[in-house]
Amino acid sequence: MKLSLLLSQLGLSAHPEADPEVSAVTHNSSWVKPGAVFVAVRGLKTDGHKFIPQALEKGAVAIVGEGFEGDLPVPYIKVEHARHALADFACVLQGHPSRALTVVGITGTDGKSTTSWITYHLLQSAGKPSGLLSTVGYRTPDGVLHHFPQHLTTPDSPEIQSLLRELLDAGATHCVLETSSHALELDRVRGVEYGVGIFTNLTPEHLDFHGDMEGYFQAKRKLIDRSRFAVLNQDDPYARRLTDHPSHTTFGFSAEAQWRATNLQEEASGLNFTVVSPAGTFDVVLPMIGQFNVLNALAAMATAHHLGLSIPELQKGLASFQGIPGRMQLLSSHPRVMVDFAHTPPSLEKALEVLRPSTTGKLWVVVGSAGGNRDPLKRAPLGEVASRLSDQAIFTEEDCRDTPIQEILQEMERGASSTGNQNYRSIADRRTAIQEAIHQAGPEDTVLLAGKGPEDTLERASETLPWDEVAEALQALGTRKPS
Ligand SMILES: CC(=O)N[C@H]1[C@@H](OP(=O)(O)OP(=O)(O)OC[C@H]2O[C@@H](n3ccc(=O)[nH]c3=O)[C@H](O)[C@@H]2O)O[C@H](CO)[C@@H](O)[C@@H]1O[C@H](C)C(=O)N[C@@H](C)C(=O)N[C@H](CCC(=O)O)C(=O)O
Ligand SMILES: Nc1ncnc2c1ncn2[C@@H]1O[C@H](COP(=O)(O)OP(=O)(O)OP(=O)(O)O)[C@@H](O)[C@H]1O
């Protein structure tokens, strides 16, 4: 697109001296490719204007900024708000893809990824070709999971707009977009037109960035304010403040919620409950662990119903949900084997606490701690949590890198010994440790394989081995003696 056309679509005046062809826009000088417009953003750590020379060296054909003194060999466009300009340029370059998609935005402190994945699955399984952008990666309508080069929940506006374009071109009619408070505050989603906005909950997090809870709430509420339809958690006091939205529904356990769950039963194979809703009263099965997932499922169902799914489609979709790769992923029921990426003491604690109530037999955990310079102080606390909250803990390798594995295992055992329990041992080889746990577990036991989750490598000394935790677990289940 010619720069003059781009500028005219944005209501900015053209530059008579040159009219280059523009192929992309970016705020990061190191990502500039020939033909790109570089937008200099005054950031929290540094000022993008300092990197204009680097952007020019890399082939930028125009510069956008809030104030630059000096001569430039390419057109310079002065704007009041560089982050707005970044998003606006990206929307125009990609042809405003969100206008042709039904976009579902999901925000909240917890449950964004899970709710996003369930919503995507419900839409897909009802035949609505959909895309998904979440912390875990993005999925195209063919179901393939791709990973972002950056590890952000919601990437920057040029990446969002080009992904929405990619999804539209791949035939998507709907897109589920996990929308972080950082993205809302930093205008990464400016120009995205949301059909539905879901608010899961709000508890203290990221207060260094947002200042206080009110600032955090005000950032999150932007999603709801700009969505045509809102899906709000009736059980959450912050979400309840948004019920003045002119077109909304609510979900929760409380009696006032329009979409509510009753008769909840948590079994080894998952959650069974009855949904009472404006669409009707019906039973559902969700193959997930953790009662908070009932709320995530209710939000996803309320959204999918608003977008036209019938009760049988909701029931069928929920029952066939396979979880998020490596996040409390349920692989079998007897014994119940779960793969989860929990690799810090608090996340391991939470995972074991979630599994305990629905474990009728023993609770096993296989867990390691990374080597190299990766947080050596967490090794003993991980051992302590594993021993305190499980019945049988097996300590093993987890990317030990150049640290001798025995050193890591001794630290984990030292932490475990502080509980006074005798319920732990170490098996250095991860494959053997997984086999041992799965082979020894009784049919009513739960085995949590923690720490690796969806990672695809295992780093051992100077070697990087290919690794697939789910495949390892399935292999061990396949060689288990029938019980
Ligand atoms: C705190 C935060 O969100 N920071 C974001 C912010 O960065 P910033 O303003 O500090 O940027 P800066 O480092 O000061 O640099 C200023 C400008 O100079 C540019 N620059 C800098 C260096 C250089 O060599 N060349 C260059 O062009 C930068 O690209 C930037 O445009 O603006 C950047 C551009 O939009 C973002 O990429 C960056 O996200 C950083 C990478 C980040 O880690 N963010 C995390 C905290 C985040 O956003 N997390 C949320 C949610 C997490 C959750 O819910 O758990 C997420 O959506 O992932
Ligand atoms: N609705 C919920 N309410 C409270 N806690 C939840 C809820 N859903 C999930 N959790 C907890 O939060 C953890 C993270 O869930 P999820 O990945 O869905 O959240 P998230 O907001 O997307 O976070 P992230 O962006 O890090 O993925 C889960 O492992 C679970 O322990």
Side-chain angles (χ1 to χ4, degrees):
M1 178 182 276
K2 285 283 184 195
L3 179 65
S4 56
L5 182 61
L6 178 56
L7 295 178
S8 73
Q9 292 203 13
L10 291 166
L12 295 166
S13 49
H15 282 250
E17 71 271 26
D19 192 12
E21 189 68 25
V22 174
S23 56
V25 63
T26 180
H27 62 85
N28 193 324
S29 57
S30 47
W31 299 345
V32 170
K33 299 238 166 64
V37 170
F38 174 68
V39 181
V41 173
R42 291 206 168 102
L44 309 171
K45 291 199 297 267
T46 183
D47 184 350
H49 292 80
K50 285 198 237 164
F51 304 97
I52 292 176
Q54 192 191 350
L56 291 170
E57 262 169 46
K58 298 192 93 179
V61 292
I63 305 292
V64 176
E66 293 175 1
F68 177 79
E69 303 299 325
D71 289 330
L72 288 174
V74 298
Y76 174 70
I77 300 115
K78 185 171 186 308
V79 293
E80 274 191 21
H81 202 306
R83 285 192 207 273
H84 288 186
L86 179 69
D88 295 347
F89 274 58
C91 287
V92 172
L93 277 171
Q94 300 297 343
H96 293 281
S98 71
R99 291 183 183 164
L101 289 161
T102 299
V103 179
V104 177
I106 300 179
T107 203
T109 308
D110 290 312
K112 292 184 297 297
S113 293
T114 311
T115 308
S116 303
W117 277 65
I118 300 175
T119 307
Y120 168 84
H121 177 73
L122 289 178
L123 294 171
Q124 285 274 93
S125 62
K128 293 191 188 298
S130 301
L132 166 69
L133 270 69
S134 88
T135 314
V136 187
Y138 71 99
R139 290 179 83 185
T140 34
D142 56 9
V144 175
L145 174 63
H146 310 261
H147 291 284
F148 295 122
Q150 286 176 290
H151 278 269
L152 288 178
T153 294
T154 316
D156 287 312
S157 46
E159 286 73 47
I160 292 180
Q161 295 300 331
S162 82
L163 281 166
L164 292 176
R165 166 53 57 195
E166 182 185 332
L167 293 170
L168 192 58
D169 291 348
T173 53
H174 294 68
C175 176
V176 182
L177 174 56
E178 201 177 322
T179 306
S180 67
S181 52
H182 287 80
L184 288 157
E185 199 58 37
L186 296 175
D187 297 303
R188 293 180 204 158
V189 288
R190 184 180 159 91
V192 176
E193 298 194 5
Y194 287 97
V196 182
I198 303 178
F199 192 109
T200 61
N201 48 58
L202 200 75
T203 52
E205 202 188 38
H206 304 309
L207 296 186
D208 54 331
F209 181 74
H210 295 291
D212 56 18
M213 281 302 281
E214 192 56 28
Y216 186 29
F217 170 68
Q218 292 300 338
K220 294 249 183 232
R221 78 166 295 157
K222 290 182 186 175
L223 172 69
I224 301 306
D225 290 344
R226 54 195 273 194
S227 296
R228 290 192 291 275
F229 184 73
V231 177
L232 307 169
N233 182 354
Q234 180 72 33
D235 300 350
D236 183 89
Y238 285 97
R240 279 202 301 275
R241 285 173 60 185
L242 299 168
T243 49
D244 57 355
H245 190 288
S247 179
H248 75 272
T249 192
T250 56
F251 65 92
F253 286 110
S254 63
E256 296 78 40
Q258 291 177 31
W259 286 74
R260 70 187 166 90
T262 58
N263 302 331
L264 172 62
Q265 284 172 328
E266 185 164 17
E267 291 170 3
S269 57
L271 302 155
N272 303 320
F273 55 99
T274 303
V275 180
V276 180
S277 78
T281 298
F282 56 100
D283 293 331
V284 292
V285 175
L286 174 65
M288 290 187 86
I289 308 303
Q291 298 198 1
F292 44 76
N293 283 316
V294 171
L295 295 172
N296 299 332
L298 285 171
M301 282 189 285
T303 301
H305 177 69
H306 173 75
L307 297 176
L309 268 69
S310 64
I311 291 177
E313 284 172 327
L314 299 179
Q315 290 170 310
K316 182 172 147 264
L318 221 55
S320 59
F321 183 61
Q322 291 185 341
I324 306 181
R327 293 189 174 205
M328 278 294 190
Q329 200 177 351
L330 179 61
L331 300 185
S332 68
S333 299
H334 298 289
R336 178 166 69 172
V337 176
M338 317 277 311
V339 169
D340 190 71
F341 77 149
H343 57 274
T344 61
S347 61
L348 184 66
E349 186 161 9
K350 195 163 180 186
L352 288 167
E353 280 171 355
V354 162
L355 292 172
R356 176 61 82 184
S358 52
T359 302
T360 48
K362 284 186 187 158
L363 179 54
W364 295 66
V365 61
V366 176
V367 64
S369 191
N373 57 4
R374 307 294 203 282
D375 206 359
L377 293 180
K378 77 175 184 187
R379 293 172 195 160
L382 268 172
E384 189 275 333
V385 167
S387 167
R388 176 163 51 86
L389 295 175
S390 77
D391 298 306
Q392 289 289 330
I394 300 183
F395 302 138
T396 189
E397 64 183 324
E398 188 220 293
D399 298 331
C400 45
R401 304 190 178 89
D402 53 355
T403 308
I405 179 65
Q406 292 308 332
E407 203 177 288
I408 298 175
L409 296 175
Q410 273 163 19
E411 263 304 280
M412 295 186 77
E413 289 194 13
R414 188 174 67 77
S417 68
S418 70
T419 64
N421 297 338
Q422 305 285 315
N423 60 345
Y424 57 89
R425 66 199 146 114
S426 294
I427 300 175
D429 179 72
R430 192 167 181 100
R431 175 170 293 157
T432 312
I434 290 173
Q435 282 170 355
E436 184 72 7
I438 291 179
H439 290 173
Q440 297 294 317
E444 302 310 318
D445 291 0
T446 295
V447 180
L448 173 66
L449 306 178
K452 291 301 290 176
E455 289 174 5
D456 55 10
T457 56
L458 183 65
E459 294 177 47
R460 200 186 264 170
S462 56
E463 276 182 301
T464 298
L465 308 170
W467 190 254
D468 182 339
E469 189 95 330
V470 170
E472 294 293 333
L474 294 175
Q475 164 79 18
L477 279 163
T479 51
R480 206 179 118 86
K481 290 207 183 80
S483 37

